[in-house]
Amino acid sequence: MYLPHQRGPLHDLPDTPEAYDAVLADVTEQALARLTPEGNLEHPDCVDDIGDTSLGITSLLAFAWQRTKDPRLPEAVRRSLGFHLRERVYVDDNPGYPNLAVRNSGLPYARYTLAAGAHPIGDWPSTVWALLQAVNLLDAAEGLVDDGQRAALLDVAHGYWRWLTEATFFNPQEAGNQAIGCVVGGLMLARHLPPGHGESVRARAIELYTEKIRAHRVADRGALLPPEHGGAYDNNYGPISLSFLAQAHRVSGEEIFAQDGDALARYLDARLTNGGFDNGGPRYSEQHSAFESVLGLRYFGARIGSDLGRYRGDSRWARHAVKADGGVDGHFAWMLVWQIQDTTRWHRQPSEAPARHQLRAGTVSVAFDDRMTPAVVEAAGTYCLPAAVNRQHGFGPVVDGFLLCRPMGEVRVRDLRVDGLAAKLVTKPVVARDHVLRHVRSLYVTDGTSLWVTVAVERLPGTPYLLAGMPYAADDGDRVRRTAVAEVAAAGELRLTHPESEGADHFDARSEQTQEQAAFALAADPRGYGNPDEGWRHLVSSTALEAGPLPDAPEDLHVFAVRYGPGREFAPVVRYGEDGLTVRTEAFTAVVGDPAGDAHGEPELALRA
């Protein structure tokens, strides 16, 4: 089964002027064929996210006219703008809307659905989107609409801003992408207002960003991130926030947006596999945005010098939002405009700087979580996620049903690149049920084709094994598909196990169900509103790779050795030497120092091919 949303890398989308002109030409023909006598440009099937969609198409037509001067477009723009101003601007409070700070303000807003009281919770982001469509149209309105229509649109746009920042609580869904989008709308609106008034709106937008967004950033993997639906990062909305930060910097020139965008970009680069696969988030685990992410990935990929465009997008939304029949929907029209306006080129080379939470070379990558436990292992085109045992999730030694991967002290990391090899040594203090402090030393080495993982820990009681991940997805070239198979070898006994119990809290990778579907089933709230990351943490057991210990390891240690990907016969040898623990495989020899580290407590590692 193919994962429904993770398809081709976004940097594979043609981004030449000719390609964009072809996109706009297609939008133009669809829009002119769809335009009703009243001026409506909404898709016939549009029900949700409707309040800004006709205006979004209008802004695309105005933008296309600026590039082509197609004589058919001025009349279509005037008619469709008239429709929005007449039919889609609401000034009476929506019954049941829970986030008003001022009742009966009379300020305009856009509705998520048109029927009064039907689904008012989405009115705040819909109004942000409508503001962005309006300011894009104002940018392109010169010589296209008459002074009266332009003045009416500016008045509505200013009203949208005031409704968002005065009549309602700011960012009521705790969604970073929506909140930063509102700030962008204010920054762009300010350029169309009289100087004194415009400067106050600009200052207010930056103040909101500083006090309502930046001050509430959430820490994850060493980065401070704009919170998304109550979590640190969502792989669907996080890259959209990055695009908003790019536009905020483009419009304002304020360094704060560049700094925060750089931090978010480096975080995304570290968590993203070499093949562009990513999963996890408080709103969606595997659903991916597409063209909405291009601006941010391209802009900040160039700034930090890394190939963020490897991020896999939803190819159904390769250029703009669409409905089930493929017809254009105007909901994200503003992002297509900005994407075309920005001339940044894709940076296609990986960053050469070592990253604490990532190991990457060739076609191999490991993304580490906040505890320096692998969050995704990629090798031979297969992606392994952390497995679950007894409600514990991760990669690491298991003894008596207890997983040793949660640190009880400082986690030390050493990166090394030599002889075409890339390595990361992670030293982690842990405590098992016997309350004895042990040090788990995990060595990750890759030649760009295979990944060798060696884990050493002070002798454990019983019959321990290494929980070595859950094979979950595979790269099929143009998309990612589900799998329960991986090319893995182990020095000890290797088992691929599946849950013995059934039910929502046991995940069998052989099933048709995706991780996201399983996570939502375990979440406290309905799909789209529940937190799949939180739901997934309730998982009791999963499909798992389990590797037994080396039979001839030093007597005071348990050592586990696994290779992900192809290679010759796998028979590693682990012995004590003068400088520490020597690990010898068919591809390299490594010397791992004492768990105490050097004079400063830093891990010691030597490596040669």
Side-chain angles (χ1 to χ4, degrees):
M1 184 178 77
Y2 291 110
L3 295 179
H5 303 297
Q6 298 201 21
R7 303 192 180 183
L10 291 184
H11 62 204
D12 287 352
L13 294 173
D15 61 348
T16 63
E18 294 76 17
Y20 288 131
D21 285 339
V23 172
L24 290 173
D26 176 58
V27 170
T28 294
E29 297 307 321
Q30 286 195 52
L32 292 177
R34 181 186 298 171
L35 186 65
T36 68
E38 298 79 21
N40 189 353
L41 286 170
E42 293 160 2
H43 190 282
D45 294 338
C46 193
V47 176
D48 299 338
D49 288 322
I50 193 172
D52 67 289
T53 61
S54 183
L55 187 62
I57 300 293
T58 305
S59 73
L60 289 177
L61 295 182
F63 183 62
W65 183 80
Q66 293 289 351
R67 292 167 68 91
T68 66
K69 294 299 187 286
D70 185 331
R72 300 173 297 171
L73 295 181
E75 176 62 20
V77 168
R78 288 191 285 269
R79 283 172 55 195
S80 57
L81 174 55
F83 169 81
H84 180 82
L85 294 173
R86 186 177 64 252
E87 302 291 341
R88 293 295 180 260
V89 177
Y90 293 84
V91 293
D92 295 329
D93 291 354
N94 200 351
Y97 185 68
N99 301 315
L100 289 177
V102 178
R103 299 287 178 186
N104 302 313
S105 67
L107 292 171
Y109 66 95
R111 286 186 177 175
Y112 176 71
T113 58
L114 299 182
H119 196 354
I121 195 69
D123 289 355
W124 202 86
S126 288
T127 304
V128 173
W129 272 214
L131 171 61
L132 295 170
Q133 317 286 22
V135 292
N136 270 348
L137 183 52
L138 286 168
D139 284 351
E142 184 68 31
L144 188 58
V145 301
D146 60 40
D147 291 345
Q149 264 198 327
R150 185 188 179 283
L153 178 61
L154 179 58
D155 186 60
V156 167
H158 190 203
Y160 285 156
W161 169 255
R162 292 189 59 202
W163 187 85
L164 291 164
T165 60
E166 299 174 21
T168 69
F169 293 96
F170 185 79
N171 191 19
Q173 294 186 20
E174 295 183 345
N177 77 98
Q178 299 172 12
I180 305 171
C182 181
V183 168
V184 171
L187 294 171
M188 295 183 68
L189 172 67
R191 303 184 301 182
H192 294 281
L193 295 171
H197 202 173
E199 185 52 42
S200 69
V201 169
R202 174 189 166 94
R204 177 61 174 153
I206 295 173
E207 177 186 48
L208 285 168
Y209 180 77
T210 303
E211 297 183 359
K212 297 292 187 178
I213 302 172
R214 197 169 199 265
H216 298 278
R217 288 176 298 172
V218 179
D220 186 44
R221 306 187 194 190
L224 289 175
L225 310 169
E228 189 60 59
H229 290 279
Y233 179 82
D234 183 277
N235 71 30
N236 179 64
Y237 290 109
I240 299 177
S241 286
L242 193 64
S243 287
F244 279 131
L245 287 169
Q247 181 67 1
H249 187 239
R250 292 180 66 239
V251 171
S252 71
E254 292 289 337
E255 192 61 22
I256 191 173
F257 299 118
Q259 293 171 352
D260 291 355
D262 288 349
L264 177 54
R266 290 191 182 97
Y267 168 87
L268 195 158
D269 188 33
R271 70 173 288 143
L272 194 61
T273 60
N274 176 77
F277 173 79
D278 187 23
N279 81 297
R283 183 73 188 273
Y284 293 109
S285 295
E286 295 183 85
Q287 177 175 313
H288 270 39
S289 54
F291 76 98
E292 318 102 285
S293 303
V294 167
L295 174 65
L297 295 170
R298 198 173 60 190
Y299 190 84
F300 284 105
R303 281 185 57 91
I304 69 169
S306 192
D307 56 338
L308 295 182
R310 69 188 189 275
Y311 178 94
R312 288 179 174 270
D314 183 346
S315 59
R316 302 170 308 165
W317 285 32
R319 294 302 190 186
H320 46 66
V322 298
K323 292 301 183 185
D325 64 358
V328 63
D329 179 283
H331 185 51
F332 279 92
W334 32 268
M335 196 67 85
L336 178 58
V337 172
W338 305 340
Q339 179 185 326
I340 296 173
Q341 289 174 333
D342 180 61
T343 57
T344 304
R345 310 312 302 162
W346 284 113
H347 185 99
R348 295 182 177 271
Q349 299 301 316
S351 172
E352 295 182 358
R356 177 179 172 89
H357 294 90
Q358 180 198 64
L359 175 67
R360 180 184 174 202
T363 59
V364 172
S365 58
V366 185
F368 295 86
D369 65 16
D370 218 29
R371 305 178 304 184
M372 286 306 299
T373 297
V376 186
V377 169
E378 173 194 19
T382 300
Y383 305 101
C384 291
L385 301 182
V389 56
N390 295 336
R391 298 188 186 275
Q392 304 160 94
H393 299 201
F395 288 70
V398 177
V399 56
D400 191 24
F402 193 86
L403 174 61
L404 301 176
C405 73
R406 291 171 297 282
M408 293 291 289
E410 188 67 22
V411 179
R412 312 278 183 166
V413 178
R414 172 75 187 277
D415 282 279
L416 191 63
R417 287 181 179 264
V418 63
D419 294 343
L421 300 170
K424 188 183 294 284
L425 173 61
V426 178
T427 300
K428 184 184 299 187
V430 300
V431 174
R433 285 197 174 99
D434 59 10
H435 289 200
V436 174
L437 181 69
R438 292 178 174 86
H439 296 85
V440 176
R441 287 174 288 173
S442 301
L443 175 64
Y444 305 85
V445 181
T446 178
D447 62 357
T449 301
S450 294
L451 172 72
W452 290 264
V453 180
T454 306
V455 178
V457 60
E458 290 93 337
R459 202 75 180 176
L460 297 164
T463 55
Y465 65 89
L466 181 73
L467 192 65
M470 174 181 70
Y472 176 69
D475 193 332
D476 200 45
D478 64 341
R479 65 177 83 184
V480 175
R481 60 178 172 81
R482 289 276 282 101
T483 188
V485 177
E487 190 173 359
V488 180
E493 179 191 3
L494 180 66
R495 304 179 297 270
L496 178 63
T497 65
H498 303 286
E500 296 179 359
S501 302
E502 296 182 354
D505 52 359
H506 301 275
F507 186 80
D508 191 325
R510 298 170 298 181
S511 71
E512 289 286 310
Q513 194 177 38
T514 66
Q515 185 269 351
E516 180 175 282
Q517 292 167 336
F520 271 123
L522 294 170
D525 296 302
R527 180 181 175 89
Y529 298 95
N531 183 333
D533 275 0
E534 186 177 276
W536 189 249
R537 284 193 286 271
H538 295 298
L539 193 70
V540 174
S541 66
S542 73
T543 292
L545 287 163
E546 300 175 354
L550 267 69
D552 58 350
E555 62 180 15
D556 62 335
L557 294 177
H558 268 121
V559 179
F560 308 88
V562 176
R563 184 185 65 208
Y564 302 83
R568 303 190 303 274
E569 181 182 355
F570 186 51
V573 176
V574 180
R575 296 286 186 269
Y576 279 121
E578 292 182 3
D579 299 320
L581 194 66
T582 299
V583 179
R584 183 175 292 109
T585 73
E586 76 278 18
F588 64 88
T589 298
V591 179
V592 178
D594 188 271
D598 62 15
H600 302 285
E602 296 303 320
E604 295 182 293
L605 175 64
L607 180 69
R608 73 174 188 272

